[in-house]
Amino acid sequence: MIHKPSLLLSLGLASALSLSAANNVITVQTDKPGAPIQPTMYGLFFEDINYAADGGLYAEMIKNRSFEFPQNLAAWVTFGDVTVQNDGPFERNPHYVRLASAGHNDKHTGLENEGFFGVSYVKGEEYRFSVWARPPQGKPAKIRVELENPASMDNSQVNAKQEITVDSKEWMKYEVTLKPDKSCKKGKLRIFLTKPDTTPVDLEHISLFPAKTFNGHENGLRVDLAQKLADIKPGIFRFPGGCIVEGTDLDTRYQWKNTVGPVENRPVNENRWHYTFQHRFYPDYYQSGGLGFYEYFLLSEEIGAEPLPVLSVGLSCQFQNHDAEAHVPVNELQPYIQDALDLIEFANGSTDTTWGKLRAEMGHPAPFNLKFIAIGNEQWGPEYPEHLEPFVKAIRKAYPDIKIVGSSGPDSEGEQFDYLWPEMKKLGADLVDEHFYRPEKWFLAEGNRYDNYDRKGPKVFAGEYACHGKGKKWNHFNAALLEAAFMTGLERNADVVHMATYAPLFAHVEGWQWRPDMIWFDNNESFPTASYYVQQLYAHNKGTNVLPATLDGRPAAGNEGQNGLFASAVTDKTTGEYIVKVANTSAEAQNLDIVLRGLGKKGSIASGTATVLSSDDPNADNSLENPDRIKPVTSPIDASAITPTAKGTYTYSTSLEPNTFYVFKFKKAE
Ligand code: AHR
């Protein structure tokens, strides 16, 4: 029961709650299902920002595992006789370390890795350590691997250890399991030559994963984080960004071909987010490529989302690069276009094609069934359509069924936006990616943004959005509420809006560059924000078709003129449900009648539920300490509150609490 305000009313406390006198009426025409809701609604935008990939979703615990950061020993501390060599077994990652005997029995030779904000391990859990190694002198060598707690003052510093005998003369992968007897959040991984009789050993690609990963993949993902993605039931999964697609410059753009094949041979790439707009620097922020395009496709499949890769259009990040020389001349775009064509082959090609074969070798002979590709991130100016055009031509020719996503630039309106939309239409883009990180006022005013969009043009991909509270650029409930309110407009315009993804997705509490974000985490735990739950409520209750709905007799557009109420309605033809979403963005409780019309002569409502997302403090959100502070609560609706009010019409009367998002679900009687 969510009848708290009604109860208070009957107790005569209405004035205490300052209930709005107006009786709001949402009228839903249940027998006139309109536009289908696309299966691609609602989705996820993934970018390696805020340590979302390395140090986040990608479960690797060792930083700079291949010694390929520009400072080869970044994230490592060495002791004794350790040297960096560069003729290793993996041509794109040639560096490795040589541990030579220190020559004295009282000295050790070895190295320690700091991990991502520490190597965090949990008592009793298993961790898979692996290393490529060889004894350069041919004589077997022994190393010891330890998980250690540097803060421990007693002899319990070492919480797990294993020995490995490196006895193959050739480079070989060795693997052991470490099972710590204590937990440690800020631990280290230490490897050293054992004494006595130390003989040199070469070590490359030093890796540590939790034994448990999402769906058990060896090169896998953190269970809690991947599960949170799956729990959204997303329709689309966009990867790998964001600005990192463009790179700080062309050299550091995201190149998908560097992220497939054996992980040991995937070159590292500087992360464009190694510094932030607030001028904080993360000099050690590199992409290992371990979470690469194969893993992204696999994840999309496993969480039930359509994959949406985004590739460089040959323009480097235009925020940072203002000269034409920073971009690829249009007549030199062929390698970039080929990358796009090869990517489609990698995803969909038969196993006797070059790239389809690689996909099969990596473990997925069946195609990934790619349907969409985006070219260019937040590009602008005439150079964008000029660059995009040859991609469109080549992709259309080779793969006429693939849908192409273009961009409307970084702004939700204005000169570039107005210029780019018609350009995208001219080029025949199937969808146009819009980005809006905007304040409260914007979200309140834009509930009807798509009501008058061209029905014959490209479809909309609301590809990056989040309410950035004025002076409150961090996660808090009110921002989530306004996102929910705005999203009624996405839902109502299902014929135009085909994809929508909140952004960014992830943030490490110790290493973020951008907020708000949807899911926060440290090395052990994670929590969904109120914005996460808004996305989830839409995704779980998206229905199959829009239903016509009015609010107080006017189209339920939602804006400040409608008592701060925003509403939309859908039906789910597969379950026989009518779903009404209402955001009360006002600070006042409000009475509401939901009138369900067109149920048929004998039609009636059998049952209903109300899901409520609210917060006692609009400035609050969840946290590691209090992960469940804000979450949706579902209760059955008292059937007696749903009454027949005319032939084929049932009315549900309720009261809406201030600043609250509701999802009402009504099931038609059989
Ligand atoms: O989501 C963070 C950044 O915002 C993305 O990388 C970029 O596309 C946008 O400017």
Side-chain angles (χ1 to χ4, degrees):
M1 280 285 295
I2 52 113
H3 265 266
K4 260 190 277 162
S6 310
L7 185 65
L8 292 173
L9 255 181
S10 66
L11 294 172
L13 296 179
S15 57
L17 275 173
S18 75
L19 274 173
S20 158
N23 213 36
N24 303 284
V25 181
I26 295 176
T27 308
V28 181
Q29 202 61 44
T30 64
D31 57 348
K32 297 221 165 70
I37 311 285
Q38 295 300 310
T40 43
M41 295 291 282
Y42 295 81
L44 300 169
F45 157 85
F46 183 91
E47 174 166 26
D48 188 2
I49 182 172
N50 307 321
Y51 288 84
D54 296 284
L57 181 61
Y58 186 48
E60 174 63 85
M61 297 162 73
I62 302 302
K63 185 149 91 182
N64 192 17
R65 64 186 174 186
S66 291
F67 308 99
E68 297 298 336
F69 286 16
Q71 284 183 336
N72 298 103
L73 289 174
W76 294 96
V77 170
T78 64
F79 45 94
D81 188 356
V82 178
T83 51
V84 177
Q85 314 284 318
N86 69 356
D87 58 347
F90 307 113
E91 49 163 347
R92 295 199 287 187
N93 286 329
H95 294 94
Y96 61 94
V97 285
R98 173 160 298 164
L99 277 55
S101 166
H104 304 289
N105 272 348
D106 58 346
K107 280 199 179 166
H108 285 287
T109 284
L111 67 170
E112 273 181 2
N113 190 268
E114 67 185 34
F116 297 91
F117 313 102
V119 173
S120 180
Y121 49 83
V122 176
K123 178 183 170 183
E125 290 293 324
E126 294 191 339
Y127 298 87
R128 195 167 27 81
F129 170 86
S130 66
V131 61
W132 283 79
R134 72 161 180 195
Q137 293 173 357
K139 194 169 149 214
K142 253 191 192 160
I143 54 170
R144 183 183 294 173
V145 186
E146 295 177 349
L147 286 176
E148 58 142 9
N149 177 354
S152 171
M153 301 304 275
D154 55 29
N155 56 7
S156 65
Q157 197 181 43
V158 175
N159 297 140
K161 61 175 182 238
Q162 285 280 5
E163 286 202 342
I164 297 174
T165 304
V166 178
D167 48 9
S168 161
K169 286 194 175 128
E170 303 304 323
W171 282 102
M172 202 176 99
K173 185 176 177 182
Y174 296 83
E175 205 172 287
V176 289
T177 298
L178 295 165
K179 194 171 177 177
D181 58 4
K182 286 198 171 63
S183 299
C184 175
K185 283 198 164 170
K186 297 275 178 197
K188 289 188 188 247
L189 175 87
R190 178 189 287 176
I191 306 164
F192 57 92
L193 272 172
T194 58
K195 297 188 298 179
D197 283 341
T198 51
T199 61
V201 68
D202 292 340
L203 305 177
E204 161 69 310
H205 198 90
I206 298 174
S207 170
L208 184 72
F209 273 82
K212 285 185 204 142
T213 55
F214 186 64
N215 288 339
H217 300 296
E218 196 169 306
N219 184 48
L221 308 180
R222 240 175 86 165
V223 176
D224 60 330
L225 296 182
Q227 191 57 49
K228 285 193 174 56
L229 304 187
D231 290 346
I232 290 262
K233 296 193 187 157
I236 192 98
F237 184 71
R238 170 189 167 193
F239 55 88
C243 289
I244 68 160
V245 171
E246 303 149 87
T248 310
D249 48 31
L250 283 176
D251 286 347
T252 55
R253 75 188 190 279
Y254 196 97
Q255 299 191 54
W256 75 267
K257 286 176 179 166
N258 287 345
T259 72
V260 292
V263 282
E264 295 85 353
N265 207 17
R266 301 183 192 174
V268 300
N269 190 24
E270 178 190 276
N271 191 307
R272 182 240 170 279
W273 295 106
H274 64 279
Y275 76 91
T276 71
F277 292 129
Q278 295 84 19
H279 303 293
R280 274 200 310 271
F281 282 84
Y282 293 89
D284 275 3
Y285 199 179
Y286 282 80
Q287 303 164 68
S288 70
L291 171 50
F293 264 42
Y294 177 82
E295 290 76 22
Y296 283 130
F297 278 120
L298 195 61
L299 177 63
S300 306
E301 186 172 270
E302 292 182 349
I303 61 178
E306 293 292 346
L308 171 56
V310 190
L311 295 190
S312 161
V313 71
L315 297 170
S316 56
C317 181
Q318 288 167 280
F319 285 111
Q320 287 163 290
N321 300 280
H322 309 291
D323 304 331
E325 299 81 72
H327 309 304
V328 183
V330 174
N331 60 4
E332 291 173 22
L333 276 174
Q334 193 45 41
Y336 290 72
I337 296 171
Q338 197 56 48
D339 274 358
L341 298 174
D342 290 344
L343 177 65
I344 300 170
E345 184 178 293
F346 178 73
N348 293 353
S350 69
T351 54
D352 53 14
T353 61
T354 308
W355 293 100
K357 183 162 174 273
L358 176 61
R359 182 193 69 238
E361 284 165 6
M362 291 184 74
H364 202 286
F368 282 118
N369 201 13
L370 176 70
K371 300 188 182 84
F372 306 94
I373 192 166
I375 307 291
N377 177 43
E378 271 177 354
Q379 322 301 159
W380 65 78
E383 51 272 50
Y384 178 46
E386 277 161 25
H387 278 68
L388 182 59
E389 187 174 10
F391 282 85
V392 173
K393 282 190 178 145
I395 295 171
R396 292 273 182 253
K397 189 164 170 218
Y399 299 104
D401 293 336
I402 293 284
K403 295 214 180 323
I404 300 173
V405 183
S407 163
S408 58
D411 296 318
S412 48
E413 51 271 303
E415 195 185 324
Q416 287 302 328
F417 183 89
D418 293 343
Y419 163 69
L420 285 167
W421 253 100
E423 290 296 317
M424 292 303 108
K425 192 172 174 183
K426 250 192 262 164
L427 283 176
D430 298 288
L431 292 108
V432 175
D433 183 5
E434 297 188 352
H435 293 181
F436 28 92
Y437 299 106
R438 292 288 183 264
E440 292 95 339
K441 245 175 113 177
W442 188 95
F443 273 80
L444 283 167
E446 295 285 315
N448 54 5
R449 176 179 179 88
Y450 297 110
D451 293 0
N452 299 314
Y453 261 48
D454 178 1
R455 269 36 210 178
K456 297 203 180 96
K459 304 302 175 194
V460 171
F461 168 34
E464 289 185 32
Y465 66 91
C467 176
H468 283 199
K470 197 153 190 291
K472 283 191 208 162
K473 241 174 135 225
W474 56 80
N475 287 90
H476 59 285
F477 176 77
N478 194 52
L481 175 66
L482 299 193
E483 286 151 11
F486 169 79
M487 287 172 76
T488 56
L490 303 183
E491 181 165 279
R492 233 186 7 261
N493 288 285
D495 56 332
V496 172
V497 183
H498 282 196
M499 299 175 184
T501 56
Y502 176 98
L505 185 53
F506 283 122
H508 195 297
V509 292
E510 292 181 58
W512 56 270
Q513 293 86 39
W514 182 293
R515 62 182 185 177
D517 306 285
M518 209 162 108
I519 300 167
W520 285 81
F521 59 92
D522 68 5
N523 284 357
N524 294 339
E525 278 146 19
S526 51
F527 66 90
T529 59
S531 291
Y532 173 96
Y533 286 122
V534 166
Q535 297 298 318
Q536 191 182 51
L537 285 171
Y538 270 90
H540 286 201
N541 298 289
K542 66 183 179 191
T544 55
N545 295 77
V546 183
L547 288 176
T550 57
L551 182 51
D552 297 338
R554 286 179 291 147
N559 57 44
E560 283 156 296
Q562 289 176 299
N563 289 340
L565 293 188
F566 291 70
S568 58
V570 296
T571 180
D572 190 326
K573 288 183 174 172
T574 56
T575 59
E577 285 168 330
Y578 309 116
I579 306 169
V580 183
K581 301 185 182 74
V582 187
N584 180 11
T585 65
S586 81
E588 298 201 339
Q590 306 207 41
N591 293 327
L592 176 70
D593 289 345
I594 298 178
V595 180
L596 301 167
R597 276 200 190 144
L599 294 165
K601 265 191 213 151
K602 293 186 186 157
S604 66
I605 297 297
S607 60
T609 58
T611 302
V612 182
L613 188 68
S614 65
S615 170
D616 54 358
D617 175 358
N619 291 319
D621 210 318
N622 297 325
S623 62
L624 283 175
E625 296 70 37
N626 197 352
D628 293 329
R629 177 173 184 161
I630 299 168
K631 61 193 238 188
V633 178
T634 301
S635 351
I637 287 176
D638 184 354
S640 66
I642 315 172
T643 51
T645 42
K647 242 189 216 146
T649 300
Y650 272 69
T651 299
Y652 171 56
S653 299
T654 187
S655 298
L656 305 174
E657 298 198 42
N659 299 319
T660 301
F661 179 50
Y662 293 85
V663 179
F664 298 105
K665 240 178 180 177
F666 303 96
K667 193 156 171 66
K668 198 178 170 184
E670 295 292 322

